[in-house]
Amino acid sequence: MTEFADAQGDQLREFTERLLSFDTTGGREAPAQEWFADRLAEFGFETYEWFADAEELAAHPSFPDDPADIERTEASADGPSLAERPNVAGVLEFGRPEAGPTLVLNGHVDVVPAARDSWAADPFEPTWDESGEELVARGAVDMKSGLATCVFAAKHLAERTEPGTLDGRIVVESVVGEEEGGLGAAAAALSSPYPFERDAAIVAEPTDLTPVVATEGSVMKRLRLAGRSAHAATRWRGESVLPHFERIRRAFFELEAERSEAVTHPLYEGFEVPWPVVVGTVDAGTWSSTVPATLTAEMRLGVAPGETVAEVEAAYEDRLAELVAEDEWLAEHPPEFERFSIQFEAAETDADEPVVAALRSAMADRDLDTTLRGATYGADSRHYVAAGIPTVLFGPGNIEQAHFPNETVRWPDVETAGATLADAARTFLG
């Protein structure tokens, strides 16, 4: 057993189980956050609290322009307002804090909904396998185990540091609304809740104990097509939207393939489709015996590190315009193709940043693979990178378990992550 597991293991296990027992879906993070803040205070952290402001976020390019659309997102359509969704943080100071750097250890407390019929047990009643090495619960991977490791990494470092050997601060953040585009992290990046500067951050997303320095962006687009209805018995009098949609869909996937060849990045060479397009919803027609005259499709378009959301959006709009120009019906009935929901800008942190070096050094001491990687998902890291705060992702669990039924994390990986984060923080502050 490692020094970290020996010193923190039992308490970390109890803390994680309790955190997982809170149902934090649909904007219901407040009870968990109150409990989390109380635990931080018990452990000797100075605590902070802040709330996202819809008016401020509406001016941010990632979020809808209408504050009302931010207050009531898809994940919390009937839930509490942002003023009822606290973000909390705890700060530990070492030596002369103003003489050293500040490192943020960040995690999100919100989780995606769980279809209880698909689970073997209640997703908010954490369960262990017979070996005691696998923990199952909604959020076990994404990302309450990672959030817990942030707390205990900082706690462990404070308990094992001789006075006068380190200067600086560690901030442990528990933010809300990450699954809705990063409400809490964006608010912290736009208007710092702290009276000091932040020099770097590690977000404990489930990276399978690998260092992720690049995250993909995405743009959400809604396509609307208009045809002409007709009775099924005389369908030739109508104009079905389905063939038009299928041509557009094929054209978009052809552009996806072209972009996979033309837009390259060394951290994404191993992905079969590095900048994927996903048509997530399609709603067409009104009646089974009527030619479908309306169609609405919602899709996600991948954005590579180094690209902007606007550039990728323009590429797909141009491809759609080419199809419209070639089709008489579409030219006379132009499709609508508009943004909706949250946009994710891609983000990347340079490999030479001190926080990356500190993390890789701590990983190497545990024989972990220090190869830098990119991820095809977005994360709160992008908000901190945009604010000039170098940020890397590192945490326990595999992203393939995230959002899945019977979400499972290996407990030895949780303890390894905690020990690694503690050593990375020591190196960064030292």
Side-chain angles (χ1 to χ4, degrees):
M1 182 177 289
T2 66
E3 179 190 9
F4 176 86
D6 188 38
Q8 309 295 335
D10 291 343
Q11 199 173 18
L12 172 59
R13 186 180 289 247
E14 294 171 4
F15 183 98
T16 305
E17 286 180 344
R18 182 68 180 99
L19 186 58
L20 287 166
S21 72
F22 288 97
D23 181 348
T24 52
T25 58
R28 295 188 292 270
E29 304 101 341
Q33 293 290 69
E34 180 179 357
W35 176 86
F36 192 93
D38 287 345
R39 300 294 79 71
L40 289 176
E42 286 181 6
F43 295 154
F45 290 78
E46 180 182 3
T47 59
Y48 290 80
E49 180 181 81
W50 70 97
F51 296 84
D53 179 80
E55 294 284 349
E56 182 179 45
L57 293 183
H60 191 289
S62 287
F63 295 92
D65 294 336
D66 186 346
D69 292 337
I70 300 172
E71 281 282 3
R72 293 289 186 268
T73 65
E74 182 179 355
S76 59
D78 299 315
S81 69
L82 291 179
E84 300 170 284
R85 302 175 65 183
N87 302 274
V88 300
V91 177
L92 292 177
E93 295 188 339
F94 297 81
R96 298 167 300 151
E98 298 300 333
T102 294
L103 175 65
V104 176
L105 302 180
N106 167 281
H108 64 84
V109 73
D110 58 302
V111 297
V112 298
R116 293 177 185 248
D117 291 346
S118 300
W119 286 67
D122 187 328
F124 296 103
E125 290 184 5
T127 58
W128 295 88
D129 71 343
E130 292 183 0
S131 70
E133 291 195 350
E134 290 191 349
L135 176 59
V136 180
R138 171 55 85 221
V141 166
D142 190 17
M143 60 171 291
K144 290 180 180 178
S145 295
L147 176 56
T149 65
C150 294
V151 175
F152 283 84
K155 178 176 176 290
H156 185 71
L157 184 59
E159 293 171 354
R160 294 296 190 275
T161 297
E162 294 292 332
T165 58
L166 294 179
D167 293 320
R169 301 181 187 86
I170 296 181
V171 181
V172 175
E173 291 183 342
S174 176
V175 297
V176 305
E178 189 272 352
E179 302 290 357
E180 300 158 75
L183 302 173
L190 290 169
S191 301
S192 175
Y194 315 111
F196 47 79
E197 297 296 322
R198 296 156 292 177
D199 296 287
I202 300 175
V203 178
E205 286 280 2
T207 67
D208 214 11
L209 300 179
T210 63
V212 172
V213 294
T215 55
E216 187 169 324
S218 61
V219 54
M220 306 296 287
K221 296 285 282 185
R222 181 180 289 123
L223 174 71
R224 288 193 176 95
L225 299 177
R228 182 172 60 229
S229 64
H231 193 287
T234 56
R235 65 179 176 84
W236 55 88
R237 296 184 181 275
E239 182 74 27
S240 173
V241 291
L242 296 179
H244 296 296
F245 171 69
E246 182 56 25
R247 282 194 292 274
I248 294 170
R249 191 191 69 84
R250 284 200 306 268
F252 281 2
F253 279 101
E254 289 170 1
L255 180 55
E256 174 198 73
E258 294 169 16
R259 283 173 40 74
S260 294
E261 295 291 330
V263 181
T264 60
H265 191 290
L267 298 182
Y268 288 81
E269 292 174 352
F271 291 102
E272 182 176 344
V273 183
W275 330 121
V277 172
V278 173
V279 180
T281 68
V282 180
D283 183 13
T286 58
W287 188 250
S288 58
S289 63
T290 300
V291 173
T294 58
L295 182 143
T296 301
E298 295 178 342
M299 61 194 72
R300 174 193 185 275
L301 314 175
V303 179
E307 294 184 308
T308 67
V309 163
E311 289 170 345
V312 174
E313 181 179 37
Y316 283 90
E317 288 179 339
D318 289 347
R319 184 59 56 93
L320 177 60
E322 293 173 5
L323 292 178
V324 170
E326 297 169 354
D327 186 280
E328 182 178 351
W329 179 267
L330 292 179
E332 294 179 357
H333 306 83
E336 297 178 12
F337 195 41
E338 60 187 5
R339 288 190 189 186
F340 76 101
S341 188
I342 309 297
Q343 316 311 318
F344 283 66
E345 291 286 355
E348 186 170 8
T349 292
D350 193 273
D352 294 332
E353 287 291 342
V355 67
V356 178
L359 176 61
R360 296 178 84 186
S361 174
M363 293 175 63
D365 289 343
R366 286 169 177 77
D367 294 324
L368 297 176
D369 184 358
T370 62
T371 304
L372 299 180
R373 289 174 167 81
T376 52
Y377 53 81
D380 275 346
S381 55
R382 76 190 193 282
H383 295 303
Y384 295 106
V385 170
I389 303 169
T391 305
V392 59
L393 305 185
F394 173 84
N398 191 305
I399 193 65
E400 293 182 2
Q401 283 285 324
H403 301 194
F404 271 57
N406 302 314
E407 184 178 340
T408 304
V409 69
R410 292 187 66 255
W411 191 250
D413 291 347
V414 175
E415 293 180 328
T416 298
T420 304
L421 288 174
D423 285 355
R426 184 188 301 279
T427 299
F428 187 76
L429 268 61

